[in-house]
Amino acid sequence: MEYTRIDAEELSKKTRGGLIYKLGMGKMQVAALAASKVKGRMLVICPCSLVTCWELEFKNAGVKNYTVVNYEKIKHLKNESFDLLIISEAQLVGRIYTQRTRFVWEGVARRCKRIWCLFNSEAIAANPIKLYPALKCLHSEDLHYSTYESFAKHYCGGAYIYGNYMTLQGPTCVKELKKLLEKHYISR
């Protein structure tokens, strides 16, 4: 597809950012082509079902120096550093209180020079709070609602019920959020 090479070229120039595509639009292919233009060690963190697909995409793109691990194995990467980290299906590390999310954002991501997040647009359109950990870690300077609570209230209609429990009503301020994302993410 025509946009594949264009988006791969644009992504290869980003230090922190990524792709927000609909399901089946080729996030993996674009990221693999972009990665082929980057030098150094690469790490892909993805769901277990995508490990083989990533290896095939990297082989097709001519990428050599890479490691692909599923989300369950990231705890074994405690002290390794990488030049590029690709977080596939990044909405899966969008809950701030889970161990998986902490391992990615507080552990592995802090030791990587470049980070690309690949999001499923349908998943984040329905639940934009899943963007928060990535935005907080990678783009905090652009984030006006910098706490989980303020982000949830502003972009997800978050409200407290029964005192201590916050519920999310759904996406709010969608145009504002899209504008924030346009600076760092390529959307399709």
Side-chain angles (χ1 to χ4, degrees):
M1 291 179 229
E2 182 63 28
Y3 66 84
T4 302
R5 293 206 182 279
I6 295 166
D7 289 357
E9 185 65 34
E10 188 177 340
L11 182 60
S12 70
K13 297 172 185 171
K14 293 187 179 293
T15 303
R16 297 183 182 273
L19 303 171
I20 300 174
Y21 279 15
K22 292 180 181 173
L23 189 64
M25 293 288 292
K27 294 184 292 285
M28 233 184 279
Q29 184 181 21
V30 170
L33 284 172
S36 71
K37 301 169 194 285
V38 174
K39 293 182 175 156
R41 287 183 72 207
M42 296 174 208
L43 172 67
V44 175
I45 301 173
C46 64
C48 190
S49 61
L50 297 180
V51 170
T52 304
C53 298
W54 271 105
E55 291 170 346
L56 182 62
E57 286 294 343
F58 274 165
K59 182 179 176 185
N60 291 341
V63 177
K64 302 259 188 262
N65 192 6
Y66 66 88
T67 303
V68 180
V69 298
N70 65 44
Y71 284 112
E72 289 70 33
K73 294 187 179 179
I74 56 176
K75 58 187 166 204
H76 302 296
L77 299 170
K78 290 181 181 171
N79 297 316
E80 293 187 61
S81 296
F82 295 89
D83 296 293
L84 171 62
L85 168 62
I86 299 173
I87 304 170
S88 180
E89 302 301 329
Q91 68 275 0
L92 297 177
V93 285
R95 294 185 176 164
I96 62 169
Y97 301 112
T98 66
Q99 189 176 33
R100 172 193 297 182
T101 298
R102 285 195 305 268
F103 274 133
V104 170
W105 297 116
E106 295 171 14
V108 179
R110 298 216 186 274
R111 296 186 309 276
C112 296
K113 295 177 186 172
R114 301 172 83 162
I115 301 170
W116 299 340
C117 297
L118 311 183
F119 287 100
N120 175 322
S121 63
E122 289 92 346
I124 61 169
N127 196 357
I129 196 67
K130 292 183 177 185
L131 287 165
Y132 177 76
L135 294 175
K136 178 70 175 169
C137 182
L138 304 179
H139 315 293
S140 60
E141 69 282 355
D142 297 328
L143 200 58
H144 301 297
Y145 300 94
S146 60
T147 66
Y148 177 84
E149 180 181 71
S150 64
F151 188 93
K153 284 180 180 178
H154 191 74
Y155 294 115
C156 307
Y160 283 103
I161 59 169
Y162 307 117
N164 297 342
Y165 183 74
M166 179 179 276
T167 62
L168 306 178
Q169 306 303 314
T172 56
C173 303
V174 174
K175 287 182 182 178
E176 181 183 326
L177 184 58
K178 279 186 179 182
K179 189 173 181 177
L180 171 68
L181 295 172
E182 282 174 358
K183 185 174 178 183
H184 305 286
Y185 294 88
I186 304 163
S187 297
R188 292 244 176 242

